[in-house]
C-alpha cells in the first residue's frame, strides 16, 4: 500500500481515489481488463495524440472543406458522438446492401450504389470532424483517440463487405483476400507503426484520404454504367482483342483484376510502415527489432487463421460452410475480434506498456481454426463447425463488449469526462 501511495503521487485526486480503492481491496479489479499499471495511468493522463497527413488532396481540398463544415457543428456536440454517428450511418447502409446482395454477387439497385458512396463520404467527413471538434471545444482525450480508431477498426470490415457486394465478387477468395490485404493488414501495420514511433503517419497518397474518394467514385461509376461491368472480362472492358493481353488476363473477370490492382499500392504502403519502424528503432542506442516484429507476426497469425478457417471450411463443407451460410455474421465476427486486438494495441501505446504476442481476441480464433484443421487433416472432429462458430461468436462478442465497457468506464473515471457529452465547463 505504501508503494501504491508513492507511485500514485502526482495523479489527480479522483485518480488517486480510484487507485487507492483498487489497491486495498479485491472488490474492484485494477483497471479491469487492460490491467494498466499505475505508471501506465500517468502515461494515459499525459498522452497526446500525434498524427501527420502528407496528402496533397487533404492539404488543399479535404482539409479546407472539413474546416468549413466544422463551423456548422454546434459546440455542444461531443466528438465521440460525431464518430458514432458516422459509424451507425455506414452500418445502416451495410444492412441495406445485405438485403439485395445476400451472396455478395447479386446486382444492387442504382440507389444502393449511390447510397454506398454517399455514406462512405459522410463517414470520412465525420471521421475527420471529430478530432477538429475535440480541439475546438478543448475536449481532446485519449478516450477520443481510442474511440475513433476503435470505430475505424470495425468499419474496415463493414466497408470490405460492401465493396465485395458492389464489385459482385461473391463469397470466395477474392472477398477474403480483399478483407485481409486491403483492410486488416494495412490497418494493423499503421497502428503498429504508431505504437513504436508515437505518430500516425499518412503518406502523400493514402487510404483515409485518396482511397475513400476513389472508392466512392467507383461506386458512383457503377451506378452510372451498371453492375454488369464487373462480370465482363478484362479485354471486354478495354475493348481490345484477347491476343493483346497475357494468357492469364484473357478470361479474367474485371472484378478480380481490379481487386488485385487495388492491392498493389496498399502492399507498398505496408512495406513503408515496416521501413518507418525499422528506421526509427535503428536510431536508438539499444534497438529491439525482434520484439517489434513479434507484433507483425501477431497480425499475420490472425489473418492466417481467417484464411485457414475459410479454406478448410469451404473445402470440407462446401455450401454448408458457415462462411457460405452466414457470410456477414462470419465476416463481422472476425472483424470484431480484429477491432478489439487493434484497440488493445492502441491502449498499449497510450500506456507505454508491452503488447502481448497472443492477445486475448486472437485465442478464440486460433482455437476454432485448430479444431477445424484437425477435422480437415485427420478427421478428428471435436465439435461441428456450426457449434464451434456459435462458441466463437459468443466469446468474441462478450470479450469485445466487456473490453469496450471496461475501457470507457475506467477512462471516463480517470480523465473526469463523459463519453458522448461535453461537460458544461468545456461546452
Amino acid at each position: 500500500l505504501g508503494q501504491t501511495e508513492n507511485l500514485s503521487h502526482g495523479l489527480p485526486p479522483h485518480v488517486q481515489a480510484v487507485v487507492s480503492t483498487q489497491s486495498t481491496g479485491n472488490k474492484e479489479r485494477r483497471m479491469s481488463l487492460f490491467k494498466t499499471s499505475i505508471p501506465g495511468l500517468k502515461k494515459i493522463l499525459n498522452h497526446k495524440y500525434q498524427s501527420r497527413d502528407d496528402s496533397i488532396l487533404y492539404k488543399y481540398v479535404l482539409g479546407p472543406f472539413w474546416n468549413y463544415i466544422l463551423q456548422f457543428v454546434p459546440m455542444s456536440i461531443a466528438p465521440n458522438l460525431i464518430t458514432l454517428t458516422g459509424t451507425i450511418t455506414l452500418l445502416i447502409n451495410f444492412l441495406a446492401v445485405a438485403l439485395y446482395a445476400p451472396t455478395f454477387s447479386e446486382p444492387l439497385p442504382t440507389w444502393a450504389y449511390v447510397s454506398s458512396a454517399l455514406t462512405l463520404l459522410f463517414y470520412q467527413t465525420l471521421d475527420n470532424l471529430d478530432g477538429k471538434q475535440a480541439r475546438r471545444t478543448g475536449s481532446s482525450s485519449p478516450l477520443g483517440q481510442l474511440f475513433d480508431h476503435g470505430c475505424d477498426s470495425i468499419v474496415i470490415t463493414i466497408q470490405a463487405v460492401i465493396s465485395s457486394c458492389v464489385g459482385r465478387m461473391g463469397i470466395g477468395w477474392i472477398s477474403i483476400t480483399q478483407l485481409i490485404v486491403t483492410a486488416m493488414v494495412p490497418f494493423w501495420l499503421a497502428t503498429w507503426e504508431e505504437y513504436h514511433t508515437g505518430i500516425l503517419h499518412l503518406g502523400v497518397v493514402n487510404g483515409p484520404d485518396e482511397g475513400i474518394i476513389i472508392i466512392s467514385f467507383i461506386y458512383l461509376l457503377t451506378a452510372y454504367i451498371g453492375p454488369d461491368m464487373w462480370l465482363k472480362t478484362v479485354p471486354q472492358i478495354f475493348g481490345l482483342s484477347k491476343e493483346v493481353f497475357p494468357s492469364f488476363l484473357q478470361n479474367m473477370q474485371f472484378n478480380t483484376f481490379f481487386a488485385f490492382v487495388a492491392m498493389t499500392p496498399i502492399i507498398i504502403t505496408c512495406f513503408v510502415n515496416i521501413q518507418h519502424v525499422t528506421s526509427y528503432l535503428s536510431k536508438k542506442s539499444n534497438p529491439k527489432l525482434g520484439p517489434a516484429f513479434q507484433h507483425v507476426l501477431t497480425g499475420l497469425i490472425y489473418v492466417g487463421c481467417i484464411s485457414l478457417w475459410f479454406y478448410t471450411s469451404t473445402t470440407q463443407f462446401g455450401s454448408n460452410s458457415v462462411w457460405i451460410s452466414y457470410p456477414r455474421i462470419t465476416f463481422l465476427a472476425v472483424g470484431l475480434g480484429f477491432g478489439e486486438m487493434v484497440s488493445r494495441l492502441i491502449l498499449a501505446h497510450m500506456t507505454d506498456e508491452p503488447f502481448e504476442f497472443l492477445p486475448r481476441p486472437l485465442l478464440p480464433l486460433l482455437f476454432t481454426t485448430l479444431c477445424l484443421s484437425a477435422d480437415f487433416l485427420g478427421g478428428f472432429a471435436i465439435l461441428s463447425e456450426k457449434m464451434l462458430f456459435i462458441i466463437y461468436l459468443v466469446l468474441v462478442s462478450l470479450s469485445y463488449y466487456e473490453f469496450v465497457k471496461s475501457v470507457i468506464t475506467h477512462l471516463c473515471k480517470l480523465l473526469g469526462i463523459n463519453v458522448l457529452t461535453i461537460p458544461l465547463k468545456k461546452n
Side-chain angles (χ1 to χ4, degrees), residues 82-268:
I82 296 175
T83 308
L84 186 62
T85 301
T87 304
I88 292 174
T89 303
L90 208 58
L91 182 59
I92 292 172
N93 184 72
F94 170 83
L95 296 174
V97 170
L99 294 175
Y100 293 95
T103 65
F104 300 8
S105 58
E106 297 84 357
L108 299 173
T110 302
W111 66 263
Y113 299 110
V114 176
S115 171
S116 296
L118 295 181
T119 52
L120 182 57
L121 291 172
F122 183 69
Y123 176 81
Q124 181 193 41
T125 300
L126 296 194
D127 192 40
N128 282 271
L129 286 181
D130 55 7
K132 295 179 182 296
Q133 176 75 345
R135 291 184 289 273
R136 178 191 184 204
T137 58
S139 57
S140 298
S141 72
L143 177 59
Q145 178 188 349
L146 194 59
F147 196 93
D148 184 304
H149 293 326
C151 287
D152 290 341
S153 63
I154 299 299
V155 161
I156 60 170
T157 300
I158 294 174
Q159 190 52 45
V161 172
I162 293 174
S163 294
S164 293
C165 294
V166 171
R168 304 184 68 179
M169 296 178 185
I171 307 167
W173 276 110
I174 300 301
S175 295
I176 290 293
T177 304
Q178 179 182 245
L179 170 67
I180 292 173
V181 178
T182 67
M184 288 185 169
V185 171
F187 200 98
W188 179 255
L189 289 179
T191 308
W192 169 73
E193 180 186 341
E194 183 182 2
Y195 173 82
H196 288 285
T197 65
I199 183 170
L200 179 64
H201 184 194
L202 300 176
V204 176
V205 178
N206 61 73
D209 294 326
E210 289 83 3
I212 288 180
I213 298 297
I214 292 171
I215 292 171
S216 300
F217 173 76
I218 291 169
Y219 289 175
L220 294 174
L221 187 64
T222 304
Y224 178 74
I225 297 178
D228 289 342
M229 75 175 197
W230 295 106
L231 302 183
K232 293 182 178 180
T233 62
V234 174
Q236 288 174 334
I237 288 292
F238 291 99
L240 299 172
S241 173
K242 281 187 176 183
E243 288 69 26
V244 177
F245 297 88
S247 57
F248 71 93
L249 287 177
Q250 290 179 0
N251 295 308
M252 180 182 288
Q253 285 188 348
F254 182 63
N255 53 12
T256 303
F257 171 78
F258 183 83
F260 282 106
V261 169
M263 292 175 194
T264 304
I266 294 173
I267 292 173
I268 294 173

Side-chain angles (χ1 to χ4, degrees), residues 314-386:
T314 54
T315 302
Q316 189 170 9
F317 305 115
S319 59
N320 292 322
S321 162
V322 295
W323 289 94
I324 307 299
S325 303
Y326 316 103
R328 281 176 176 78
I329 298 177
T330 311
F331 271 76
L332 287 178
V334 296
L336 208 60
F338 180 78
E340 182 183 342
M341 197 164 74
V342 166
S343 297
R344 285 178 177 273
L345 182 59
I346 296 171
L347 190 62
H349 160 60
M350 290 179 174
T351 58
D352 195 23
E353 294 189 340
F355 181 73
E356 297 174 322
F357 175 61
L358 294 177
R360 191 174 73 171
L362 176 57
L363 300 181
L365 179 61
L366 191 61
F367 173 75
T368 303
T369 304
L370 290 176
C371 288
L372 290 171
S373 297
D375 186 17
F376 179 76
L377 296 174
F380 181 67
I382 300 176
L383 293 169
S384 68
E385 187 194 28
K386 287 187 178 180

